[in-house]
Amino acid sequence: MHDNDLLIVGAGPYGLSVAAHAAARGLQVRVHGRLMSSWRDMPPGMLLKSEPWASDLSDPSGAYRLTAYAATRGVRAEHGVPLPVGFFTAYGEWFARHAVPAVDPRTVTAVRPRPDGGFAVTTEDGEVTGARTVALALGVMPFTDVPAVLRPLMPHLATHSSDHADLTAFAGRDVTVLGAGQAALETAALLTEFGAHARVVARSGQLVWNTVPPSLRRGPWETALAPHTGLGCGWRNVLYARTPGVFRRLPDTTRERLFDTALGPAGAWWLRPRFDAVPDVRLGRAVVAAAPAGPRGDRVRLTLADTCGQGAPTTEVVTDHVIAATGFAPRLDRVDVLPEDVRAALRTVGASGAPEVSRRFESSHPGLFLAGLLTAPSYGPAMRFVYGAAYTAERLVRGVERRLGAARRPVAVPGARTRPADTIGGRPTGARGRG
């Protein structure tokens, strides 16, 4: 069995960024997964919440930023102007064509350590490939989080927001959306625009809306008060965005608390006028029971209880379908590609069930590296966003080289010589963006 230096499971922003850095270092790298799968499967009409300059995938030369792709399409990626998710998906595909070795679209079903220290990686058709090191960049889909009361109703009467690539099928139906974050609020707005009767139920007593981002060119006083970062303005975000390594050195209990609370649920500023059309918004309410309803059991009866201590009476709602926009839980017990004994042996961040990783993104199992959402409890909120991919890719590949004992071998990113590396997209490559 021929061993690759690095086999990457996942072909989203993190997997592609790691692959670009590994290929540029001369490593023999193989990537498995459907290109930009979770982005590709978002409903039409959704927009990128992050700023374009904070949404770059990462290659070492900086040749393949979002602005460079936008230029090929005759589009300006401007601060304060949200881009369609479909545009970002196409950018990821373009990045893969230029900066990454060929991506194998087959799904990896198992990653098993071998006695010699390498790994045997099995794909959906049963083929087994050898790898000296493995990086899991699984995205968010394995970690969807749905309230326990809804799980018996899935998938016919209840779903997670990430299950839907098309919301037009709900036209004319009554749909209840759970949550108060961007996914919930944008899903409800789109449902309303597509002709559904949308209802939002949220535990929080009020909705939070992000403010219009200030200009990138501001005076020194305004900049000092609220510096820009790829995760938003403010000094707290400086810690999360620019110093994930500092976050990693915090005590476990502090990291767990910040992971649960930092950058909490909020809607994008540009969504608020559209959300005003949603006809039914119930705040300070939680679903405490859910059961089939109607003569044929094809509807859902929800029992809603007060969460704000206001003594509001318990109420019931009958709806055609429930969409839980309730986020993702990066827990090891959901990483099905790893054997149970390997998952059980990995060190975790406190009681979170999330894996601890080193300063080079290596798990406690030698040669097994992690990227993306799984590392957010270790490195902080930046790893919940595309922005964290640049920080991750550079350090993870260093860790792979260290594990392999390989010398650093700078090699030009494929195609990078065709562009001036210091002025791609009209922007100096030394400037750091979300990647």
Side-chain angles (χ1 to χ4, degrees):
M1 181 188 300
H2 173 72
D3 282 0
N4 299 279
D5 290 331
L6 172 64
L7 190 145
I8 300 168
V9 182
Y14 279 80
L16 295 177
S17 296
V18 171
H21 281 258
R25 298 294 299 168
L27 299 180
Q28 204 167 29
V29 61
R30 185 180 183 114
V31 184
H32 275 277
R34 181 169 166 249
L35 265 175
M36 301 293 286
S37 59
S38 62
W39 299 89
R40 185 193 304 273
D41 293 338
M42 289 185 182
M46 283 199 163
L47 300 176
L48 201 64
K49 188 180 183 186
S50 299
E51 292 297 322
W53 59 265
S55 301
D56 294 325
L57 277 67
S58 179
D59 68 286
S61 71
Y64 302 110
R65 291 192 170 101
L66 181 57
T67 51
Y69 172 67
T72 70
R73 295 276 299 271
V75 174
R76 290 186 64 186
E78 299 181 80
H79 177 70
V81 180
L83 290 170
V85 165
F87 185 91
F88 181 73
T89 303
Y91 161 57
E93 294 167 348
W94 174 85
F95 180 95
R97 290 195 300 271
H98 288 83
V100 175
V103 176
D104 189 325
R106 291 177 297 172
T107 299
V108 168
T109 57
V111 175
R112 295 184 176 88
R114 299 186 318 221
D116 65 359
F119 298 85
V121 180
T122 306
T123 52
E124 57 189 325
D125 57 358
E127 181 180 326
V128 179
T129 302
R132 298 173 69 189
T133 63
V134 167
L136 300 183
L138 302 176
V140 299
M141 293 305 293
F143 309 109
T144 54
D145 197 28
V146 175
V149 294
L150 294 181
R151 292 172 198 162
L153 304 178
M154 298 178 70
H156 302 297
L157 297 176
T159 48
H160 190 272
S161 56
S162 61
D163 293 330
H164 297 285
D166 185 3
L167 295 171
T168 59
F170 290 107
R173 303 183 69 195
D174 185 291
V175 184
T176 299
V177 182
L178 306 185
Q182 176 70 9
L185 305 181
E186 192 171 13
T187 296
L190 284 170
L191 285 167
T192 301
E193 293 165 359
F194 293 150
H197 182 278
R199 176 184 302 103
V200 170
V201 174
R203 299 178 62 91
S204 56
Q206 62 180 6
L207 298 179
V208 176
W209 295 97
N210 298 135
T211 57
V212 178
S215 170
L216 289 175
R217 293 180 176 85
R218 296 177 292 162
W221 177 248
E222 291 85 356
T223 299
L225 286 177
H228 273 293
T229 79
L231 304 181
C233 290
W235 283 102
R236 184 183 294 270
N237 290 335
V238 169
L239 166 67
Y240 304 145
R242 300 179 188 172
T243 58
V246 173
F247 186 98
R248 179 182 161 269
R249 290 194 288 270
L250 296 173
D252 281 3
T253 53
T254 304
R255 285 187 290 168
E256 287 180 89
R257 176 177 55 80
L258 290 175
F259 174 74
D260 287 337
T261 59
L263 302 179
W269 62 270
W270 45 260
L271 180 63
R272 192 167 190 173
R274 293 168 54 195
F275 183 79
D276 287 342
V278 175
D280 190 353
V281 179
R282 307 193 186 195
L283 305 179
R285 312 294 285 174
V287 176
V288 293
R296 296 184 299 274
D298 56 356
R299 306 192 77 199
V300 184
R301 185 182 306 279
L302 300 176
T303 303
L304 309 180
D306 174 46
T307 61
C308 295
Q310 302 298 317
T314 298
T315 58
E316 289 189 343
V317 167
V318 176
T319 187
D320 294 321
H321 193 86
V322 183
I323 297 178
T326 43
F328 305 88
R331 298 172 53 88
L332 274 170
D333 57 10
R334 301 184 181 186
V335 184
D336 292 338
V337 296
L338 292 177
E340 186 175 353
D341 61 324
V342 174
R343 298 198 306 261
L346 293 179
R347 287 198 296 271
T348 59
V349 180
S352 69
E356 181 71 86
V357 290
S358 74
R359 65 190 180 96
R360 292 187 174 90
F361 289 86
E362 189 172 16
S363 74
S364 58
H365 185 100
L368 178 64
F369 293 81
L370 306 174
L373 182 65
L374 262 179
T375 69
S378 289
Y379 274 94
M383 304 306 153
R384 289 163 33 194
F385 300 88
V386 177
Y387 183 80
Y391 184 93
T392 299
E394 180 183 356
R395 288 159 179 79
L396 189 153
V397 171
R398 287 183 198 165
V400 168
E401 288 185 316
R402 184 185 177 110
R403 177 57 57 188
L404 296 176
R408 295 178 65 86
R409 298 186 294 268
V411 177
V413 177
R417 291 189 301 271
T418 64
R419 302 166 185 265
D422 58 342
T423 57
I424 297 302
R427 176 176 164 216
T429 57
R432 293 189 60 189
R434 179 173 181 175

